[in-house]
């Protein structure tokens, strides 16, 4: 589904991603962990098409298509979704209108008719129940004045509404209380199928208790330096990133 | 012929008021002031960025006979504002009030020629308030309107009346056969306890040059409540100086929204003179310009007495080669303790060529006051744009959503739903944005 080869990217002459290789197949859940500033959000942004970053090397393929040539909205049309680490506040645009526009833009991209008001409402109600989101929040301006947890829950709600093929969730668990984590995890698990895939970016093993990943990767200083199964996350939780750094130092001195 | 020369000739041609010299003296003084000050140019501090003197190079005619206009009801049809069936509709054609076209539905609303009102029972209120704006607007263009005020009207809303029909005021310039210079003039008296919603708009017929120099003065009496909405969406070959001057003579409430969407040079003077304690006023504005339009909003809030609140918030979007000016003066006079005065102006520039000059001017002579002001000039939020696009929304629609979101809080200040929706529709059409 997603194939990243030797991806190098940076900003203002500074290289942040220094050769990322990652393959995600349909049906899989991957988790990326790594210390602050290692490049996790940058990787997510580059995949989603943020033009602030300059890609200097490598390629990304999504569903067999070259992703790097596509506009962000086209990537979404192809089934990509990014749950933002810091969702953006949009004054004057209600969350409902925003989601409705997004749903119908995606349908248009796929050559489908727009959802009528009734069908849209039905879909909303279903996903609202799933994500335990109340109407007043959706009537407010998008993310404006939302609490940290509300913003994250709203990201997952959007994911549930848009039904992407690949969801990249950038620290969607940060700032969530334990009940909210369960709800978010439930939302993600509902999306899981043999045709979909999820890339979780997280600092905490806790989320991975609810969403069991097939693979765990450690991103360190712009590179994936270690990959493994869910046990790797447990090990990181116990030992911190020092043992990775030590491993790397040993590797570099050998 | 030189326009100034022409206007001078016209001034002397009009008959003087034979019954009372009061209005004649006012006119003559104003004409002298006009001759002394002339048309304001770049050297005039308040006209630095808005150049109207070049507009006087055109040959204009002034409409001579009020009964002689060539506008029919069917001409007006497509230009009437939505909700007009439920509204009092007042028409000025080329600066002259058209009694024949105007429709008054509310019993408490009265329109009289200014001299009739002055020579009748309204002398005191007229003597006290007519040309009150000239104390604040010291320039030849304001004086020029006063010099011709014999064509003006006196509008009044009776004591304690809550007008259920809004008052729509159309300033129409019929430039189908000639270049027209028009000077609508009115003094509006909102009596004690009256409540009224006013909507004013400007429309030009035809492709000849038009220049409207309008002055409306509004007296707001004890406990009166006034909502005033100005919609400016005239063609880009038209120009106007539009002055709206409120004087709150006792505890009262004024709420204004100025929406400016098109026009060549548009200069608005909005004055709020809070001449009594416990007055409250709100000044909202939204300008969205493109092409070569120039929009200038000059506002003055004069807190003359204690315990008043004024709140001012203008937003602007400037695209193409358009330019904007926001100049917000707030005076807090020495006696005006416990004044609350707020002001904010936010701008988004959509092109490299668009520009805006924004300038708050606070002159505070009292010490126990709360005042704040702020202005911003920025571009469209790129982070927001990416966020929307990442959800599959095309760049074009994402831009429209962001811009619509930027202005919607000002639109929501229009409390007359048909007009709010109309303004929203005009903006949404420009954004090619479906509001449903
Ligand atoms: N737009 C930008 N401008 C300048 N530097 C940037 C920009 N985006 C990222 N960086 C830098 O690149 C590095 C990686 O940032 P990134 O946000 O990808 O880290 P992260 O792994 O997501 O960290 P965290 O766990 O704190 O979210 C950081 O040093 C960051 O300061
Ligand atoms: Mg991050």
């Amino acid at each position: 589904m997603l194939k990243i080869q030797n991806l190098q990217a940076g900003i203002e002459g500074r290289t942040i991603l220094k050769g990322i290789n990652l393959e995600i197949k349909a049906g899989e859940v991957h988790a990326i962990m790594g210390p602050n500033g290692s490049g996790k959000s940058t990787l997510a942004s580059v995949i989603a098409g943020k033009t602030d970053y300059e890609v200097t090397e490598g390629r990304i393929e999504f569903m067999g298509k070259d992703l790097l040539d596509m506009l962000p909205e086209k990537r979404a049309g192809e089934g990509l979704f990014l749950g933002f680490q810091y969702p953006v506040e949009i004054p004057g645009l209600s969350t409902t209108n925003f989601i409705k526009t997004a749903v119908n833009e995606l349908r248009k991209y796929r050559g489908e008719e727009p959802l009528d008001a009734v069908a849209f409402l039905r879909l909303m109600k279903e996903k609202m129940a799933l994500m335990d989101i109340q109407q007043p929040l959706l009537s407010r301006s998008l993310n404006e004045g939302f609490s940290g947890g509300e913003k994250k829950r709203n990201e997952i709600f959007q994911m549930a509404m848009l039904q992407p093929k690949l969801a990249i969730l950038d620290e969607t668990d940060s700032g969530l209380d334990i009940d909210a984590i369960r709800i978010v995890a439930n939302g993600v698990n509902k999306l899981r199928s043999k045709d979909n895939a999820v890339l979780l970016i997280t600092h905490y093993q806790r989320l991975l208790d609810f969403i069991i990943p097939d693979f765990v990767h450690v991103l360190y200083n712009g590179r994936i330096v270690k990959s493994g199964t869910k046990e790797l996350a447990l090990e990181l939780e116990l030992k911190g990133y020092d043992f990775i750094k030590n491993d790397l130092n040993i590797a570099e001195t050998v | 012929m030189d326009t100034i020369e022409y206007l001078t000739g016209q001034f002397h041609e009009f008959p003087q008021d034979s019954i009372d010299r009061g209005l004649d003296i006012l006119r003559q003084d104003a004409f002298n002031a006009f001759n002394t000050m002339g048309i304001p140019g770049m050297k005039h501090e308040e006209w630095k960025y808005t150049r109207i003197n070049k507009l006087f190079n055109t040959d204009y005619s002034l409409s001579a006979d009020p009964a002689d206009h060539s506008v029919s009801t069917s001409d007006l049809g497509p230009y009437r504002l939505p909700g007009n069936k439920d509204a009092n509709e007042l028409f000025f054609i080329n600066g002259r009030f058209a009694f024949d076209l105007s429709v008054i539905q509310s019993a408490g609303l009265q329109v009289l020629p200014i001299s009739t009102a002055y020579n009748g029972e309204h002398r005191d209120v007229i003597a006290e308030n007519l040309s009150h704006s000239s104390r604040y607007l010291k320039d030849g263009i304001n004086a020029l309107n006063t010099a011709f005020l014999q064509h003006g009207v006196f509008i009044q809303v009776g004591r304690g009346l809550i007008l259920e029909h809004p008052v729509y005021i159309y300033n129409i310039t019929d430039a189908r056969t000639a270049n027209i210079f028009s000077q609508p003039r009115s003094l509006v008296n909102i009596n004690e306890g009256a409540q009224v919603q006013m909507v004013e708009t400007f429309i030009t017929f035809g492709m000849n040059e038009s220049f409207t120099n309008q002055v409306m003065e509004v007296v707001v009496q004890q406990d009166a409540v006034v909502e005033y909405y100005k919609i400016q969406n005239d063609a880009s070959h038209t120009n106007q100086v539009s002055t709206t001057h409120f004087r709150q003579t006792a505890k009262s409430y004024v709420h204004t929204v100025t929406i400016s969407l098109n026009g060549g040079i548009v200069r608005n003077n909005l004055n709020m003179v809070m001449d009594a304690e416990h007055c409250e006023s709100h000044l909202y504005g939204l300008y969205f310009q493109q092409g070569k339009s120039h929009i200038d909003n000059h506002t003055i809030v004069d807190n003359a007495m204690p315990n008043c609140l004024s709140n001012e918030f203008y937003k602007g979007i400037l695209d193409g080669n358009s330019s904007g000016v926001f100049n917000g003066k707030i005076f807090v006079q020495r006696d005006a303790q416990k004044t609350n005065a707020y002001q904010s102006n936010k701008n988004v520039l959509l092109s490299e060529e668009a520009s805006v000059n924004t300038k708050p001017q606070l002159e505070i002579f009292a010490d126990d006051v709360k005042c704040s002001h702020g202005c911003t000039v920025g571009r469209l939020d790129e982070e927001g744009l990416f966020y929307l696009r990442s959800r599959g929304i095309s760049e074009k629609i994402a831009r429209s959503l962001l811009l619509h979101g930027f202005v919607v809080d000002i639109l929501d200040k229009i409390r007359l739903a048909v007009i709010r929706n109309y303004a929203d529709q005009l903006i949404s059409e420009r954004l090619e944005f479906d509001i449903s």
Side-chain angles (χ1 to χ4, degrees), chain A residues 181-192:
Chain A
I181 288 191
R182 220 172 262 136
I183 290 166
V184 163
N186 186 31
V188 173
N189 287 328
K190 279 261 160 62
L191 182 82
R192 280 178 91 162

Side-chain angles (χ1 to χ4, degrees), chain A residues 50 73 82 105 155 158, chain B residues 383 387 389 391 394-395:
Chain A
K50 194 163 191 200
E73 54 266 38
L82 171 59
E105 284 276 286
E155 292 293 289
Q158 292 171 39
Chain B
E383 298 292 321
Y387 186 66
R389 292 177 72 189
R391 298 297 182 253
S394 71
E395 183 175 0

Side-chain angles (χ1 to χ4, degrees), chain A residues 35-42 44 85-86 170-171 201 203:
Chain A
N36 294 133
S38 55
K40 303 180 297 295
S41 294
T42 302
Q85 183 176 2
Y86 303 109
D170 191 358
E171 293 198 28
I201 295 172
H203 285 295

Side-chain angles (χ1 to χ4, degrees), chain A residues 48-50 71-73 76 81-82 84 87-88 90-93 98 101-102 105-106 142-143 155 158 162, chain B residues 381 383-397 401-402 404-406 408-409 433 435-436:
Chain A
K50 194 163 191 200
L71 298 173
E73 54 266 38
F81 178 90
L82 171 59
F84 283 57
V88 185
I90 313 279
L93 172 61
F98 157 67
T101 309
E105 284 276 286
L106 290 180
L142 182 54
N143 293 326
E155 292 293 289
Q158 292 171 39
L162 301 177
Chain B
D381 174 21
E383 298 292 321
L385 201 58
F386 176 64
Y387 186 66
L388 299 189
R389 292 177 72 189
S390 79
R391 298 297 182 253
I393 299 173
S394 71
E395 183 175 0
K396 193 172 171 321
I397 295 176
L401 289 171
L402 289 179
H404 189 267
F406 176 66
V408 78
D409 57 343
F433 170 72
I435 47 174
S436 63

Side-chain angles (χ1 to χ4, degrees), chain B residues 136 300-304 329-333 361 363-365:
Chain B
Y136 292 83
I300 299 175
V301 175
D302 185 12
N303 291 278
K329 265 195 196 160
I330 297 177
F331 296 107
V332 180
Q333 309 292 359
Q361 263 178 292
E363 297 189 21
I364 300 172
F365 304 103

